[in-house]
Structure formats: C-alpha cells, structure tokens
Amino acid sequence: MRCGKMAAPAAGTRGGVRRRCQRLLYWVPVLFISSILCWSYYAYVTQLCLLVCLIAYHLFFMLFVWSYWKTIFTLPMNPSKEFHLSYADKELLEREPRGETQQEIFRRAAKDLPIYTRTMSGAIRYCDRCQLVKPDRCHHCSVCDKCILKMDHHCPWVNNCVGFSNYKFFLLFLAYSLLYCLFIAATDLQYFIKFWTNGLPDTQAKFHIMFLFFAAAMFSVSLSSLFGYHCWLVSKNKSTLEAFRAPIFRHGTDKNGFSLGFSKNLRQVFGDEKKYWLLPVFTSLGDGCSFPTCLVNQDPEQVSTPVGLNSTTKNENHLFPPKTLRDSQSHLLTDTQSWTESSANTEKGKVVPKGMSNPGLTVENET
Ligand SMILES: [Zn+2]
Ligand SMILES: [Zn+2]
C-alpha cells in the first residue's frame, strides 16, 4: 500500500493542491451559518433591542454558539489500534491481495475484537483504505478519508463528521439553534406585523426586523424537521446511516439491533447524569468501538450466554462488551474456528462465493 501511494508523485502533488482547495471550500457552509448568526445578533440586539428579552436571548445565543463550536471542532474518533492490521499482515496482504490468504488475515485480525455486525454477504467488515477491521457502527467517510466511529453522517454545515465523539453536541446544536430561531421569530412577530401595517418608524431597523423574521421562520421550519428526525433516531438508537441501511448481525439484518429501550437509548447518547444532558460536554456512554446489543443472546450461533460479560454491564438484559472482550471473543472465536476447521475439510482451498457462505468465513471489503 505504501509503495502504491509513492508510485505517482506528480499526480499526488496536483491532487494535493486540489484537495486543499476543496478543503477550503468545505468551510463555506460554516462561514455562511456563522455570518447569519453574527448578523442576527447585531440585528436583534442593536435594532430590535427588547430589553426584557435580552437575557433569554443571550442564553440561547451562548448555548447555540457553544454547541455549534463543539460540533465543528470535536475531532471524530477513529478505530483504536487493535482494529488495524499488523505490519506483517499488511505485507502479507500486499503479496496476496485475494483468496484464502486474505480471508485468513481478516479472520485472524477479527478474532479478538468485539464485533457483531457483518457485511451484506455475512463477511467481516474491512476497510481497504484504512486497512482495518471496522468496529460495529463504524463507517469510512469519503470526505474525511477516515473510518469514523459510530458514524452518523458527514455534515457540510459543520464541516465535520458527525459520529460517536460529537453526536450529542450535534443534537444540542440542532435543539439550541431551533430554540434560538423560534425565540427570535416569536419576539419579532409583533414588529413584523407592524412593518406590513406601516406602524414602524421609517428607519433602517425596519428591514432588519423584516429579514430577521424571515430568516428565523425559515430556519425554524427546516431545523424542526431535522431535529424531530434525530430525536426519533436517538429514541431508536440508530444512526442516520443505519436508518437507511439496517445493520447486519451474524444472524441477519435487524433494524433495531442496537435498541435497548427508550430510556437506555437516550442514556447511550446523553449519559447517566441528567445534569449534563443539556450542556455540550461529552457524556456519551461506551468507547465507540463496541456497543451493547440485546441480540447477541438471541443469536442461534451463540449457544451459551457469556456470563463474564453481563457482570461488566450496568443493565442485566443487554450485553455490553468490555474493551478487551477476551471472554466474548473466545466465545465468538470458538464458533468461527470450529466452523473454519470443518470448512477446511469440506471446502479445501476454495473461495466461498458471496452470499452463499457461512458468515464466519467469507470476508469482504466494504468501503
Ligand atoms: Zn476507512
Ligand atoms: Zn466525514
């Protein structure tokens, strides 16, 4: 892979310049929102100047800016190093990029990892670009060119990936920007009506009052639908990507595979301590690499319940794999290996065709 990158230096430089220009362009939506925010501050505080409302206004303004800032500048989390292929495995993969060897490499890399989801064909999810076994709910973002933990979507309005590290901030950003717009629209309404009935003195404030109302009303409509959608996603413990394509587990597709019930789903994103729920500080539960699911115990391939795991979790009904996952993985590994061994006898040297294979064996590159 390293050799591949160095093969075309000239094209690389040109591509680098284009990439830098592209990266600058990505900031345009953020600048757009920021300038609207500045202008609305100016228009509201200096032109409208409702003294009684100014305290409430500044509270919403501050929370809006704070959560927006945190959504933009919180770096997305990438899979930890145990998900990456070892140097020796990468070398091996370069020499033999397909067939049995490739599958063997991925199988070995995944055997100690807390992964329960698979690709459409039931193979282990692997990222070609980052050369790693993808953790559950992790996806490769083509804009960031990285694998992002619990990726929700890449948002141009924050020029950042929304994922495990900043999903709470993103939700609060939606909530506070909606409150901000609704507050402006509500307090500006009477002046807006006066504008149309010629009840306002003929100053430049007139136009600010009119546009302030238009902008606030317009953003309120789009934000409320987006915020409503994300509230639904949180209540079901789904990411936007998972809402479009349900996660696939060892036993098959399950659109509610990560759902633990409303209250627990909420806590997954906002944390256990209610006093932090409304503040843009990181309180989400877990490490972003493994997620509790109520499906593992129902998995027909997994006969016994790994007792050691349940003791590590706060809730009794759901499996929350611990970081190292030795226990559960030896359990997963037993399944995989026993199957591998038997398959080696029956299908020696054959590459099992996609879609017809046992989930334990086939490995597919999913980018
Ligand atoms: Zn990747
Ligand atoms: Zn991204």
Side-chain angles (χ1 to χ4, degrees), residues 325-341:
L325 262 230
R326 291 275 158 194
D327 289 348
S328 83
Q329 287 314 307
S330 62
H331 165 73
L332 282 172
L333 176 60
T334 318
D335 274 357
T336 315
Q337 277 198 332
S338 63
W339 192 87
T340 308
E341 275 157 23

Side-chain angles (χ1 to χ4, degrees), residues 260 264 268 272 285 291-293 297 305-322 325:
L260 311 168
K264 280 170 187 157
Q268 284 295 302
D272 281 327
L285 299 182
F291 296 89
T293 163
N297 296 341
T305 307
V307 181
L309 284 174
N310 282 340
S311 61
T312 63
T313 145
K314 279 187 180 168
N315 57 68
E316 322 73 43
N317 307 322
H318 308 296
L319 184 76
F320 198 158
L325 262 230

Side-chain angles (χ1 to χ4, degrees), residues 141 143-144 148 151 154 160-161:
C141 172
V143 183
C144 303
I148 310 293
M151 181 176 167
H154 187 94
N160 196 5
C161 242

Side-chain angles (χ1 to χ4, degrees), residues 8-240:
T13 319
R14 254 199 321 270
V17 173
R18 200 181 327 130
R19 189 110 190 125
R20 267 197 292 279
C21 293
Q22 243 173 14
R23 288 207 181 281
L24 278 179
L25 277 180
Y26 288 152
W27 284 101
V28 171
V30 175
L31 287 176
F32 176 69
I33 297 270
S34 305
S35 25
I36 290 211
L37 193 63
C38 292
W39 163 74
S40 67
Y41 183 87
Y42 163 78
Y44 195 92
V45 174
T46 65
Q47 304 295 325
L48 205 61
C49 202
L50 298 160
L51 280 172
V52 280
C53 296
L54 279 182
I55 293 172
Y57 171 82
H58 278 94
L59 185 74
F60 292 137
F61 180 82
M62 193 198 72
L63 288 167
F64 178 4
V65 173
W66 187 9
S67 52
Y68 189 42
W69 179 274
K70 291 280 278 191
T71 317
I72 297 172
F73 294 107
T74 301
L75 289 175
M77 270 168 71
N78 314 115
S80 49
K81 66 177 188 307
E82 58 259 37
F83 288 87
H84 289 258
L85 288 193
S86 67
Y87 187 72
D89 280 344
K90 283 182 196 170
E91 297 251 289
L92 205 61
L93 200 64
E94 264 177 60
R95 281 205 297 275
E96 282 193 69
R98 59 177 65 82
E100 262 302 300
T101 321
Q102 188 199 42
Q103 294 180 29
E104 183 57 42
I105 294 168
F106 297 155
R107 217 166 33 229
R108 198 172 53 227
K111 72 181 181 189
D112 285 334
L113 298 173
I115 43 177
Y116 296 100
T117 53
R118 296 290 185 264
T119 65
M120 292 255 254
S121 63
I124 285 169
R125 300 186 330 123
Y126 175 75
C127 178
D128 238 355
R129 288 286 292 175
C130 310
Q131 295 186 302
L132 52 82
V133 173
K134 288 183 190 169
D136 289 347
R137 313 187 83 176
C138 167
H139 296 275
H140 187 89
C141 172
S142 52
V143 183
C144 303
D145 199 22
K146 274 181 190 142
C147 272
I148 310 293
L149 292 184
K150 200 191 172 196
M151 181 176 167
D152 192 88
H153 67 289
H154 187 94
C155 178
W157 300 108
V158 298
N159 188 25
N160 196 5
C161 242
V162 177
F164 179 75
S165 64
N166 62 352
Y167 189 58
K168 183 192 168 190
F169 308 151
F170 176 73
L171 282 173
L172 291 177
F173 154 60
L174 290 183
Y176 291 131
S177 54
L178 178 61
L179 272 177
Y180 179 79
C181 290
L182 287 175
F183 183 78
I184 288 183
T187 49
D188 193 18
L189 182 64
Q190 51 172 319
Y191 300 94
F192 183 71
I193 293 168
K194 276 188 194 161
F195 174 87
W196 294 106
T197 52
N198 293 319
L200 284 182
D202 205 11
T203 61
Q204 60 155 341
K206 261 175 88 157
F207 295 98
H208 282 295
I209 284 166
M210 186 183 75
F211 287 118
L212 201 53
F213 184 82
F214 271 129
M218 200 182 69
F219 277 106
S220 297
V221 173
S222 47
L223 280 169
S224 53
S225 56
L226 193 60
F227 181 60
Y229 179 63
H230 277 279
C231 286
W232 175 78
L233 288 177
V234 171
S235 75
K236 300 280 176 191
N237 202 345
K238 283 181 195 182
S239 66
T240 303

